[in-house]
Amino acid sequence: MADVTQKLSQKGKNLVIFQFISVVLKELRRHRTRSALTISGVALSVCVLVSLLGLGIGYRTSLIQSIDRLGYHILVTSKGCPYEAATLLMQGGVIPMYMDEAIHREILRDADVAITTRLFLGSLSVHREGFSLVTGIENSFLEMKPWLTFQRGEWFGEGAADEVILGYSVAAYYRKNIGDDFPLKGLGQTFRVRGIFDRSGTQDDGTIFVPLGVAQRLFDKQEKLTGIGVKLKDLSRIDEFSARVFEIPSVQVITMAQVQRTLLDLLGTARFFIGTVAIVAVAIAVLGVMNTMLIAVFERTREIGVMRAIGASRGDVFALICAEAFTICTAGGIAGGGIAVLGSRMASEAVRAILPFVPAGVLVQIDGLLLIGGIAMAAGMGILAGIIPGWRASRLHPIEWMR
Amino acid sequence: MSAILARGLTRIYRRSAEEIAALFGVDLVIEPGEFVAITGASGAGKTTLLNLIGCLDRPTSGLLKLLGRNVHALRGKDLEIMRRQHVGFVFQDYCLVPTLTVEENVALPLLFSRALHQRNRVRDLLARVGLQDRSDHLPRELSGGEQQRVAIARALVNNPEILLADEPTGNLDSKQGNEIVALLRDMKLTIVLSTHNLDLANRADRQIKLADGRVV
Ligand SMILES: Nc1ncnc2c1ncn2[C@@H]1O[C@H](COP(=O)(O)OP(=O)(O)O)[C@@H](O)[C@H]1O
Ligand SMILES: [Mg+2]
C-alpha cells in the first residue's frame, strides 16, 4: 500500500509536478478557442505594460543623452514659455521672439564664459514635404560639439551665401551628396550641399545648417538671434552666471539641468496616466482569466468531484485550478513580452508621431530584466486570478457533485 | 475486525422546511473479502449508503466503522486519506477524465497519493481488466463496458481494502454487465456493489436489501 507520509524523492516530486502540468495542459487543449482568447487577453495587457515601461526607460535615457549632447551648459533666449524653449532645444520649433546681437556681445564680456555660439533657428518648407528646421550657425558651433564630425565635405567656405551643411538624416532622406543642389522652397533659393555631418543621435541629424548671417538674411532678421549657447569655464559657477544674465532685460536663461527637469516632469505626468491605463489593462486581464476559470470550475463540477472521490485533496484541486490560471497567464506573458520586443521599433515610431518632445534614439527600450519582470508579473497575475476559482472548486461539497 | 460496520446509520437531507430520511437506522456488518450487493428500488437509499461508506458524505447520526476506524472521529485530512488509501469508488457513468488517456486516468489516483513510483501497477491492472492494448486511447474511443473496466482499474490502483461500486452496470447491456460483475468477483477484496438488477445481485456472496432508507 502506498504510504502518504513516505518522503518523496526529488525525482518523485518532479514527476508529480510534471504530471500535474500534463493534466493542466490537456485541459487547456480541450477548450482551444477559449484558452487562446484568454491567453491573447493576457498577452495584450502584458504587451502594453512592458511597452509602456520600456518607453519610460527609453524615453528617459535618450532624453538625458540628447540634452548632454546639446553641448551647451546654458542657453540664453528671449523671454518666453519654458516649455517652448525646451521644444526649441529638443526638436526645433519656431520661437517667434528674437533678441539683439548686442546681448551676445554683453555675454561675451562675462569672465565666466568659455565659449559662446550664436544660433538662429527658423523653420521652412523644403521641397514639397512638410517643414524642416533650418539653423544658422557659426564656427564655434563645432567647438561646442566636438563629437559632431563630417561624414563628407567640410565647413562653409569663406563668405559663401548659398551653401548648406546637412544633418545625417536629412542627407539620407533626400539622397543628397556633396555638390548637389538643395532647394529651400520657402525661400525660393537653391543652395549647394557643402558638407554632411556624421550621425550624432540628436536633433542635429534632422537639421539643415546654413551660416548664421545667411539665416538672418533669409528670414529678414538682421542683427537678431533666437538663442546663444554658452559653455562656462567652470560649471560650478552656473548660478552666479545665471543671476548676472538675468539682469539683462527681456532675456531668459535656460540651464540644461532645468531643461532636463522640465522634460522629465512632463514625462512623469504622462507616465502617470499611461501607467494608470496599463494597470487597468492588467486588472481587466486578471478579471478575464478569473472569469474563464470560474466558468471552467462550474462546467467541471462533476469532474472535480470525481477527482476528490478518487483521492484528490482540497489542496490538489486548488493547485490544479490555480495551475491552469497560472499557465494561461504565463503563456500570455511570454507571448505579450515577445510581441512587445518585436514591436518595440514600431512602437517607437508610433510614439514619435504622437508625443510633443521626442528625443532621438531608441524610445522603447525593453531589456532582459524588464521582459523577465513582465513575464513574472503575468505569472503572479495567474496565481491571483486562480485563487478565487481554485478556492471555490476546493470547497465543493462532495455530494453536491454526485447528484 | 470487520471491513465495514454500521449501527443505526442515518442520513437526513434537509431541504428548506422538508426533511428527507434517505437512510434511517441502518445496521450492517461486512467482513473482509466479502462481495455484497445492495439492492432496492430507485430512491431506496443505495447511493446515500455508499457515499457514507466511501467517506464522500457524513452521517447525520449513527456509528460507522471502516477497517476498525470510527469515521465520525476522522477530520477532513484523515477522511481524505481514508478515501485515497483505503476505499476505491466506481460510478454508474464511469466518470473518466475525458482529456486523459486510459493509462493516465488509471494513474491519476497515484498522482493524488504521490505514489507515481508505483506506476507499473497501472499496466498490471489494465492487463487484469483486459485493456492492456488500449492504454493510449481516450475514454470516448471505448465502449461503455470498457470505460467501466478502466474505472475499476482506476479504483484499484492505490490498492484499497474496500471497493464501492454504485450501480456499475446501470448503463451497460446485460452481457457487458455480466462481464463487469465477473471481473469484480475475481478481485480479492471487500466489494460493496449497488444494483437494482436481481440477476446480478444473485451472484454476490450476500444481498442487503434497502427500502425507504431501511434494511429489509
Ligand atoms: N442531496 C439530496 N438532497 C435531498 N434529497 C436527496 C439527496 N440525495 C438523495 N436524496 C433523496 O434520498 C433518497 C435516497 O436517494 P438515493 O440514495 O440516491 O437512492 P438510490 O441510490 O437508491 O436511488 C431519495 O428519496 C432521494 O430523493
Ligand atoms: Mg443511486
Side-chain angles (χ1 to χ4, degrees):
Chain A
M1 192 185 82
D3 183 1
V4 273
T5 60
Q6 162 193 346
K7 268 231 167 83
L8 281 175
S9 65
Q10 188 55 45
K11 199 172 152 222
K13 272 185 200 155
N14 291 344
L15 203 60
V16 167
I17 291 167
F18 181 76
Q19 283 294 317
F20 251 93
I21 292 171
S22 141
V23 170
V24 166
L25 289 182
K26 288 188 171 177
E27 190 57 48
L28 289 176
R29 272 216 323 250
R30 181 174 171 185
H31 304 285
R32 268 165 229 265
T33 316
R34 185 203 290 171
S35 303
L37 283 175
T38 317
I39 290 172
S40 309
V42 175
L44 193 67
S45 80
V46 170
C47 179
V48 168
L49 189 84
V50 168
S51 299
L52 287 177
L53 292 176
L55 172 63
I57 297 169
Y59 194 101
R60 204 189 153 86
T61 315
S62 25
L63 194 62
I64 291 171
Q65 189 188 328
S66 297
I67 291 169
D68 284 348
R69 289 222 141 184
L70 279 170
Y72 336 120
H73 296 147
I74 291 163
L75 185 74
V76 179
T77 67
S78 67
K79 270 208 172 70
C81 164
Y83 285 132
E84 210 168 12
T87 318
L88 167 83
L89 270 179
M90 297 310 303
Q91 64 177 24
V94 184
I95 291 195
M97 273 181 279
Y98 305 95
M99 55 192 181
D100 287 335
E101 292 254 23
I103 293 171
H104 176 240
R105 289 189 283 276
E106 200 169 333
I107 289 173
L108 260 185
R109 281 198 294 273
D110 195 291
D112 283 325
V113 170
I115 323 168
T116 64
T117 191
R118 290 171 291 168
L119 298 164
F120 189 98
L121 279 70
S123 135
L124 272 186
S125 73
V126 179
H127 294 262
R128 250 149 292 139
E129 305 108 18
F131 284 82
S132 280
L133 186 66
V134 176
T135 302
I137 51 174
E138 56 179 335
N139 294 26
S140 57
F141 187 75
L142 287 185
E143 266 178 85
M144 287 271 184
K145 307 183 183 218
W147 55 84
L148 202 57
T149 50
F150 283 97
Q151 185 202 39
R152 272 168 281 164
E154 56 190 343
W155 187 254
F156 305 111
E158 195 71 46
D162 61 348
E163 290 176 351
V164 289
I165 295 174
L166 302 181
Y168 179 88
S169 314
V170 178
Y173 183 78
Y174 292 112
R175 296 168 195 280
K176 290 294 179 189
N177 214 329
I178 306 301
D180 288 352
D181 281 349
F182 195 87
L184 284 177
K185 193 163 163 279
L187 298 171
Q189 187 185 332
T190 295
F191 288 74
R192 240 185 39 258
V193 178
R194 171 80 173 188
I196 296 169
F197 284 131
D198 277 318
R199 185 198 286 281
S200 69
T202 68
Q203 293 303 333
D204 291 335
D205 291 348
T207 303
I208 301 158
F209 298 95
V210 295
L212 179 67
V214 172
Q216 288 169 328
R217 195 158 29 72
L218 286 175
F219 289 93
D220 202 18
K221 293 277 185 280
Q222 269 84 359
E223 287 286 297
K224 299 281 183 193
L225 299 172
T226 47
I228 302 164
V230 179
K231 212 172 211 170
L232 298 181
K233 290 173 185 152
D234 179 2
L235 194 53
S236 67
R237 296 197 44 84
I238 195 161
D239 287 341
E240 290 87 337
F241 176 78
S242 300
R244 280 198 297 280
V245 176
F246 195 73
E247 300 287 295
I248 306 171
S250 73
V251 157
Q252 67 175 343
V253 179
I254 304 165
T255 65
M256 291 312 118
Q258 229 175 326
V259 171
Q260 195 160 316
R261 213 172 323 115
T262 307
L263 288 179
L264 289 180
D265 277 357
L266 230 102
L267 175 62
T269 319
R271 272 171 75 186
F272 175 77
F273 286 110
I274 291 170
T276 311
V277 171
I279 287 168
V280 168
V282 167
I284 290 172
V286 170
L287 290 177
V289 175
M290 198 184 288
N291 183 46
T292 305
M293 291 314 302
L294 280 173
I295 292 171
V297 167
F298 178 75
E299 279 177 355
R300 258 186 282 158
T301 301
R302 187 161 175 83
E303 209 172 297
I304 291 165
V306 170
M307 288 199 179
R308 291 295 303 282
I310 63 171
S313 65
R314 284 183 194 276
D316 288 333
V317 170
F318 182 84
L320 275 175
I321 300 297
C322 251
E324 217 172 299
F326 175 84
T327 308
I328 288 176
C329 286
T330 308
I334 292 170
I339 294 168
V341 170
L342 295 179
S344 59
R345 201 165 262 282
M346 255 169 64
S348 291
E349 292 315 307
V351 166
R352 222 170 263 290
I354 298 166
L355 284 192
F357 311 120
V358 188
V362 186
L363 279 186
V364 180
Q365 273 179 25
I366 301 172
D367 56 6
L369 195 68
L370 179 57
L371 192 62
I372 290 168
I375 294 169
M377 196 215 55
M381 267 163 59
I383 293 173
L384 202 67
I387 288 176
I388 292 178
W391 188 80
R392 270 252 187 121
S394 73
R395 289 284 123 181
L396 282 173
H397 193 279
I399 55 166
E400 290 306 313
W401 40 258
M402 296 310 300
R403 302 246 91 213
Chain B
M1 185 186 69
S2 311
I4 303 164
L5 181 145
R7 289 277 173 264
L9 197 60
T10 299
R11 176 65 167 100
I12 295 171
Y13 292 114
R14 271 176 242 282
R15 192 169 272 171
S16 56
E18 211 183 352
E19 289 199 341
I20 302 164
L23 218 55
F24 198 85
V26 168
D27 298 332
L28 56 82
V29 179
I30 296 173
E31 297 303 330
E34 259 196 301
F35 182 172
V36 175
I38 311 279
T39 61
S42 183
K46 304 183 295 293
T47 297
T48 304
L49 178 60
L50 287 178
N51 284 351
L52 289 176
I53 297 173
C55 300
L56 296 175
D57 193 12
R58 283 170 171 279
T60 310
S61 65
L63 174 76
L64 176 64
K65 277 186 157 185
L66 293 180
L67 308 164
R69 261 162 282 193
N70 188 345
V71 170
H72 199 74
L74 297 179
R75 292 283 133 226
K77 202 84 204 146
D78 298 319
L79 275 179
E80 260 164 22
I81 292 172
M82 183 61 91
R83 264 206 303 268
R84 191 153 59 212
Q85 303 301 328
H86 303 292
V87 184
F89 228 110
V90 175
F91 307 91
Q92 177 172 348
D93 50 359
Y94 335 124
C95 296
L96 301 177
V97 178
T99 51
L100 301 183
T101 64
V102 164
E103 186 173 346
E104 289 165 335
N105 263 287
V106 175
L108 202 52
L110 293 176
L111 174 63
F112 296 136
S113 61
R114 309 292 186 264
L116 287 170
H117 52 282
Q118 299 187 359
R119 267 201 302 194
N120 52 335
R121 287 182 52 80
V122 173
R123 298 239 150 215
D124 293 349
L125 280 165
L126 281 177
R128 256 170 88 188
V129 300
L131 290 173
Q132 61 274 36
D133 301 333
R134 314 294 296 271
S135 53
D136 292 333
H137 288 226
L138 288 173
R140 64 163 178 272
E141 294 161 353
L142 304 183
S143 74
E146 287 165 340
Q147 288 191 49
Q148 194 59 299
R149 280 189 273 158
V150 175
I152 289 169
R154 181 178 68 181
L156 294 176
V157 76
N158 269 329
N159 222 347
E161 289 91 334
I162 300 169
L163 180 73
L164 304 173
D166 191 8
E167 309 218 26
T169 61
N171 286 2
L172 304 178
D173 60 32
S174 63
K175 179 172 168 283
Q176 287 185 321
N178 275 320
E179 282 169 12
I180 292 294
V181 174
L183 184 66
L184 289 175
R185 272 225 68 111
D186 283 347
M187 306 285 168
K188 298 281 171 276
L189 73 166
T190 311
I191 296 178
V192 184
L193 167 153
S194 80
T195 181
H196 50 245
N197 181 329
L198 292 179
D199 284 345
L200 292 180
N202 282 332
R203 296 169 57 185
D205 297 338
R206 182 155 67 94
Q207 295 184 24
I208 296 174
K209 190 167 164 46
L210 286 181
D212 289 334
R214 292 165 201 270
V215 178
V216 294

